[in-house]
Every structure is written in structure tokens, then in C-alpha cells.
Amino acid sequence: MRKVPKLRFKEFSDEWEEKRLGDLILLQRGSSPRPISKYLTNSSDGVNWIKIGDTNKENKYITSTSEKITKEGAKKSREVKKGEIILSNSMSYGRPFILKIDGYIHDGWFVIRKYEEHFNKEFLCQLLGSDFIQNQYKKLAAGGVVENISSELVNSVIIKVVSLKEQQKIANFLSSVDKKISLTEEKLKLFKKYKKGVMQKIFSQKLRFKDSEGNDYPEWEEKKLEEIIKMGKAGGTPKTSKKEFYENGNIKFLSISDMTSQGKYIYSTEKYITEEGLKNSSAWKVPINSLIYSMYASVGFVSINKIELTTSQAMFSIIPQDNVSLEYLYYFLSNLKNAINKFIEKGTQGNLSAESIKNFNIKLPILEEQQKISDFLLK
């Protein structure tokens, strides 16, 4: 069966052909000497022991390893060479990397060989890391849940084969896009670092704004959070054993992962609960444009919900008073993240309580200055 992709380079007219990946490559699994602790070494004659921890999600190359194994251990493992493609099959499954070093791989890796007749190396690496392949893993896996991938799963993937010349063109194009993305991300990191420094100056009042006539604003007040909010309350989780609390639910239910993946503004949730689940838990409907503050796991993470939703007990939702800018309070609480250790309850794994959050000290300028600060930080 032949399929023509929607986007093509003009100089190429050959159709792309669908084939099974396993018919075009040789996939070999790594192996581990056991117990591994017996073979780890700091000796200068040790060899590179390549692990998932040696990878960087922003870089497709592996350039060094944190551990080495003995030559005796290497005999019980699989050797890989500089320039080869390896593919993770557990943890961060299905991620391809190109080696910049020689070494040995454990059974959490595959090495891909004998592909040169059909694939450009850079193209194959881009292809293996694409959503097109990742989605096939999920479809092919039983139940659609993938914790690791087998050689059978990888070999069963259907890919579209194109000429080596067009692969080279595609690989060059995608590499140039990656470089631009990398530069943009680096600029974004520098901007975030600058913004963080400015926020610290603003909230320590080393940097102040003036009114429209050039006059100083009044001194800031310091109040407890509970004094400046209409409502502050944690959520709740309906019993997960009760299917009727979740199946066919239409009430959005926020999780910590929704917050960390979406950032400042929340527009959607992965999970839903039913009206029955809402009634039988301490969850409550948080109105649009409230502040959501994480108390467990990623402690101190702040978001603003742009949809009505409910949350688990891991989150504390805040509705500010009318004389408090939502954006100002968002930035103040975000800046407070590094100073919340004193509020964390002893005996817990870094958790906050609702009462401790209510006792946060908030430095509050008048509303007009709050809005000026918010407008400045929004830029």
C-alpha cells in the first residue's frame, strides 16, 4: 500500500511506501552482568556503562557516562560503537539516541543495526522519536498502556519509506529546526532568569513603581493570606474504587500533572468526575479565575484556572478579595516558592497544610500598584 505524505519537497515525486520496520533493520537488545554492583569500577581501564541517566531530553547525542564496568563485566553485556543508534525500551521508552562514545548497554536498551541500505541515520533517529511512532507503540500495546517496549513491538511498527536523498533533505531540514528551537529555548531560559531577578527586586521593594504623576505609592502592608481572600479551601478525591464516581463524568478534575504540564494557565484536565463523585467527596467547583496552589508533590506550584474545575486534596484553591489583583497574587506566590520550607509540616514528605498556606505573609501594595506590577511582569 502506497501513501503520499501531505508535505513534500518539490524536487521529489517518488511515492512513499509503507513497510514493517522490522523488515528494514536489525534490532538487538543489550544485556546486563549481574549483580551489576560486582562489575562497576572506578579503574582507568573500565569501559563506558551507558544508562538512561546519561541522556539529556534536549539532546539526541550521548557523549559521556557516569559509570564504568570492568572488562569482565563487558563480556556479559552488549558492545556498542560511536555513531550507532540506541533506543530505550524502559523508563523513557522509545527514545532514540546517537552515540558519541563507545560503550556497553544493559537490557534497558536496543541497538539498531543494518539499517544503512534503507535509512539515513539522522532521519531514522528523528523518525523513531516522532509522535507517529510513539502513537503506534500505544496502539499496538495491550490496553494502550506502555511501560516498556519489546523488540516485537518495535519491529511491528509500520513506517513510510522514502528515498535516501529525500531522507537526507528531511533530516537537514529538521536539524535546522532543532537548532532554532534550541536557540529559542536558550533565550527563554535567559529571559526567565532575568525575570526571576526582577521579581525578587520588586517583592523586596528594591524596585518601586510611581503613579501617573510621578509620585511614590504608599508603603506596602503585610497581611496573612487568609486576610486578603474571600475563600481558600483544599479539594478532595472521590474514592477511586467507585466506578460511578468517574465513569462518564463531565466535571473537570485537576491533577498536579495538569498544573506542571500547562503552567500558569489551566485550560483543560485529563480526568473527570461525576456529580455523584462530587457529592461524595470534599471536592468543590472552583470558579474561573481562581488561584490553584499545590500542597503536595510539586509544592508551591501556582496556576490560574481559565475553566471551572474541581481538584484533589493536593491543591488549595484561592479566591482573592476585590482589592487584590489575581495576577499580582499569582506572581507573589510564585516568587515565594523558595521560602516556603518553614511552612512544610514536619514528618511529611515536603507537604503543606491548608492552615499553613493561610498563614503566608503577603506584602500588599495598593491595587493600582499591584496592577502596574502585574502589567510589567505579564510582558
Side-chain angles (χ1 to χ4, degrees), residues 182-200 202 264 330-331 373-379:
S182 180
L183 286 171
T184 301
E185 287 175 344
E186 190 60 36
K187 287 178 182 178
L188 184 59
K189 285 180 184 177
L190 291 172
F191 176 74
K192 285 181 177 179
K193 185 177 180 180
Y194 164 76
K195 189 171 184 178
K196 185 177 179 181
V198 171
M199 284 172 66
Q200 289 173 346
I202 288 173
K264 181 179 179 181
Y330 164 82
Y331 285 117
I373 291 169
S374 300
D375 290 344
F376 175 79
L377 293 175
L378 275 166
K379 293 177 181 177

Side-chain angles (χ1 to χ4, degrees), residues 31-34 36 38-40 47 49 69-78 104:
S31 59
S32 303
R34 290 183 171 86
I36 185 61
K38 178 181 175 182
Y39 298 99
L40 293 175
V47 294
W49 181 235
I69 58 170
T70 63
K71 290 182 178 177
E72 188 63 28
K75 292 177 183 178
K76 301 179 181 183
S77 182
R78 184 176 294 279
Y104 289 80

Side-chain angles (χ1 to χ4, degrees), residues 76-92:
K76 301 179 181 183
S77 182
R78 184 176 294 279
E79 185 178 15
V80 287
K81 294 289 188 180
K82 180 179 179 180
E84 289 195 295
I85 299 174
I86 60 174
L87 184 74
S88 61
N89 61 52
S90 60
M91 294 179 69
S92 301

Side-chain angles (χ1 to χ4, degrees), residues 15 42 48 110 118 238 266 310 367:
E15 292 184 355
N42 292 320
N48 290 322
F110 294 122
H118 304 285
I266 303 295
T310 59
L367 184 58

Side-chain angles (χ1 to χ4, degrees), residues 165-221:
K165 284 187 178 181
E166 189 166 1
Q167 286 184 37
Q168 181 68 62
K169 188 87 171 180
I170 293 168
N172 291 343
F173 172 76
L174 293 176
S175 292
S176 67
V177 171
D178 284 342
K179 286 178 183 177
K180 289 178 181 178
I181 290 172
S182 180
L183 286 171
T184 301
E185 287 175 344
E186 190 60 36
K187 287 178 182 178
L188 184 59
K189 285 180 184 177
L190 291 172
F191 176 74
K192 285 181 177 179
K193 185 177 180 180
Y194 164 76
K195 189 171 184 178
K196 185 177 179 181
V198 171
M199 284 172 66
Q200 289 173 346
K201 287 182 179 180
I202 288 173
F203 294 122
S204 64
Q205 298 175 67
K206 292 178 181 178
L207 176 62
R208 293 291 302 273
F209 290 83
K210 296 183 181 293
D211 65 21
S212 57
E213 296 180 359
N215 299 317
D216 292 336
Y217 283 111
E219 290 302 309
W220 294 15
E221 294 184 89

